[in-house]
């Protein structure tokens, strides 16, 4: 079983009001979570990224993370206080350039002795584009075309030095990039940083099969975007379907099933008894979906100001505004009326208020129970080929992973499904991924 730790803070997973909640900016928070993950012999530590502060009703969205540092900078610092833990940064291919990013990632891989990873993401909204010289945005259909060319160009740069340490010039000319010159860094300790891809769409699956080393997908965890339920694998069968589909695409690219790891993002709640765990999970969900957050989630679907509604009252009887610009920088819902109709039907059938409906529809904890029960369920999911492992998203910063490492990790180790010590030094060795093949002529 492969395990990774995601630094929490995106959407409504993180509980800000808990007395144990800490800073999202202080380096001590990043260091604590990373050291905890390494103590648990996790494969890697994973940072999200945002290129613009999201807005709601024309002002900064006050339920989001503000002031998060840039990911690769944080990971370079973490390389000095960890020894074996992989270090994964989310970096956008829409508003960066291959040479510059390839150099930054190769630097991290050298400084960490082969532990760097890159979570490849794209952006299609003009709102984010306003922060960049190029401005504007890419059509949705062009996002993965640019991403594929971006990754291929970065890999050509990483491969450009010979085994004897001689730099060879790279000459690339494509629809999105023109690169000509010699790369400044020799081949890094693991050849290429590990490539992670987050996305469950048809385009995302195709891109992952052709390009990625890890797929970051969903497993019914908290913080799900309203209206995106179909992309989160909330059942074992759904996870198995996704797993089989993506792995089945690899042969067409000359790849084996072991060359790509599928790791859903998951949450967990532990208790001394099953009842205790369920009670704690219910409390956490109500903390995550505060009255303000419930109305915000509703406004994201309806696209209109609903501040006059009671979070403990019924859902609005008005239809959504499909062309709304109320929320900026958030995932746009393709069919808000269909989502609203589904939420109303659920609310009426179960007698749920606005807040209860949002709790019911926008997320749930993935693994809830005693440490033994959680260890057993996670092991069963991997054995059933629904996942190769999990990316844990705790609900508290920075101590939310402590309980899992102290109480669940030893049980997984006793079962023989999780390492007790690192066998190698690079992230590729942790994941059992093959080393990149040096192209002919680069020896």
């Amino acid at each position: 079983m492969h395990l990774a730790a995601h630094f929490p803070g995106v959407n409504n997973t993180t509980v800000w009001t808990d007395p144990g909640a800490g800073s999202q900016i202080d380096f001590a928070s990043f260091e604590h979570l990373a050291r905890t993950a390494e103590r648990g012999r996790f494969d890697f530590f994973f940072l999200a990224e945002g290129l613009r502060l999201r807005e709601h009703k024309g002002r900064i969205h006050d339920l989001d993370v503000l002031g998060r540092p840039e990911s690769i900078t944080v990971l370079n610092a973490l390389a000095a206080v960890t020894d074996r833990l992989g270090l994964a940064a989310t970096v956008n291919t829409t508003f960066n350039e291959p040479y510059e990013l390839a150099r930054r990632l190769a630097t991290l891989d050298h400084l960490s002795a082969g532990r760097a990873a890159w979570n490849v993401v794209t952006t299609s909204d003009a709102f984010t584009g306003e922060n960049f010289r190029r401005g504007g945005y890419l059509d949705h259909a062009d996002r993965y075309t640019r991403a594929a060319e971006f990754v291929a160009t970065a890999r050509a740069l990483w491969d450009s030095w010979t085994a004897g340490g001689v730099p060879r010039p790279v000459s690339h000319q494509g629809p999105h990039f023109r690169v000509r010159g010699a790369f400044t860094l020799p081949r890094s300790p693991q050849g290429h940083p590990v490539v992670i891809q987050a996305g469950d769409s048809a385009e995302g699956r195709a891109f992952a099969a052709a390009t990625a080393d890890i797929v970051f997908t969903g497993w019914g965890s908290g913080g799900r975007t309203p209206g995106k339920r179909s992309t989160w694998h909330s059942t074992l069968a759904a996870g198995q379907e996704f797993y089989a589909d993506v792995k089945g695409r690899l042969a067409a690219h000359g790849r084996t099933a072991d060359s790509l790891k599928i790791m859903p993002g998951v949450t967990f709640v532990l208790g001394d008894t099953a009842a205790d765990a369920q009670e704690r999970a219910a409390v956490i969900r109500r903390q995550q979906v505060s009255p303000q957050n419930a109305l915000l989630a509703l406004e994201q679907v309806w696209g209109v100001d609903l501040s006059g509604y009671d979070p403990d009252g019924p859902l609005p009887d008005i239809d959504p505004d499909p062309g709304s610009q109320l929320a900026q920088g958030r995932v746009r819902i393709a069919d808000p009326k269909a989502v609203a109709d589904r939420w109303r039907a659920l609310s009426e059938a179960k007698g749920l208020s606005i807040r209860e409906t949002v709790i019911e529809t926008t997320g749930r904890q993935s693994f809830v129970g005693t440490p033994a029960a959680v260890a057993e369920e996670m092991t069963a999911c991997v054995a059933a080929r629904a996942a190769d492992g999990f990316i844990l998203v705790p609900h508290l910063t920075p101590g939310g992973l402590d309980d899992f490492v102290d109480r669940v990790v030893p049980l997984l180790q006793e079962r023989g499904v999780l390492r007790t010590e690192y066998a190698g030094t690079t992230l590729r060795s942790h994941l059992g991924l093959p080393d990149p093949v040096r192209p002919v002529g680069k020896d």
Side-chain angles (χ1 to χ4, degrees), residues 267-271 276-278 280-281 284 365 367-370 374 395:
T267 59
F268 62 91
V269 179
L270 303 178
D276 176 44
Q278 291 294 339
R280 290 191 64 204
I284 291 169
Q365 285 86 2
F367 297 106
V368 179
T370 64
V374 168
H395 72 278

Side-chain angles (χ1 to χ4, degrees), residues 240-423:
Q240 289 173 313
E241 183 280 326
F242 179 85
Y243 188 96
D245 178 68
V246 175
K247 295 271 187 173
R249 299 169 185 253
L250 295 172
H253 301 281
R255 305 180 63 188
T256 65
D258 290 338
S259 67
L260 177 68
K261 307 301 179 184
I262 296 177
M263 299 181 67
V266 299
T267 59
F268 62 91
V269 179
L270 303 178
D272 294 333
T273 66
D276 176 44
Q278 291 294 339
E279 183 177 344
R280 290 191 64 204
V283 170
I284 291 169
R285 285 302 295 141
R286 289 189 68 80
Q287 289 177 313
Q288 289 169 328
V289 184
S290 65
Q292 299 95 323
N293 219 344
L295 287 179
L296 184 144
L298 207 69
E299 288 177 341
Q300 191 181 350
V301 175
W302 263 258
V304 296
D305 187 344
L306 300 173
S307 57
Y309 282 79
D310 180 0
D312 294 320
L315 271 66
D317 57 3
I318 59 175
D319 284 336
D321 175 5
S324 172
Q325 297 296 315
L326 195 73
Q328 296 278 14
R330 302 184 72 87
V331 176
R332 190 171 296 278
I333 297 170
D335 190 349
K337 187 177 186 305
V339 176
D341 289 344
R342 187 167 67 247
W343 283 20
R344 282 200 199 98
L346 176 67
S347 175
E348 292 172 3
K350 294 189 174 184
L352 303 178
S353 67
I354 289 173
R355 188 180 182 191
E356 290 166 339
T357 301
V358 173
I359 288 173
E360 181 84 7
T361 57
T362 63
R364 63 178 179 82
Q365 285 86 2
S366 311
F367 297 106
V368 179
T370 64
V374 168
E376 181 177 356
E377 187 176 2
M378 294 178 76
T379 302
C381 289
V382 173
R385 297 187 179 181
D388 292 308
F390 304 97
I391 298 175
L392 299 181
V393 188
H395 72 278
L396 284 181
T397 305
L401 194 64
D402 296 8
D403 208 22
F404 185 92
V405 169
D406 291 337
R407 304 180 69 189
V408 179
V409 162
L411 300 178
L412 294 172
Q413 292 171 333
E414 287 176 9
R415 289 171 175 267
V417 298
L418 183 67
R419 68 174 67 87
T420 56
E421 294 295 340
Y422 292 105

Side-chain angles (χ1 to χ4, degrees), residues 162-179:
T162 69
V166 178
R168 298 286 177 85
V170 171
S171 181
H172 170 85
Q173 182 168 334
H176 293 278
F177 307 109
R178 294 181 182 179
V179 177

Side-chain angles (χ1 to χ4, degrees), residues 216-238:
F216 174 38
T217 183
W219 192 284
S221 59
R224 183 189 299 132
T225 300
K228 302 291 284 186
R229 189 179 189 100
S230 62
T231 65
W232 291 80
H233 314 311
S234 56
T235 66
L236 179 66

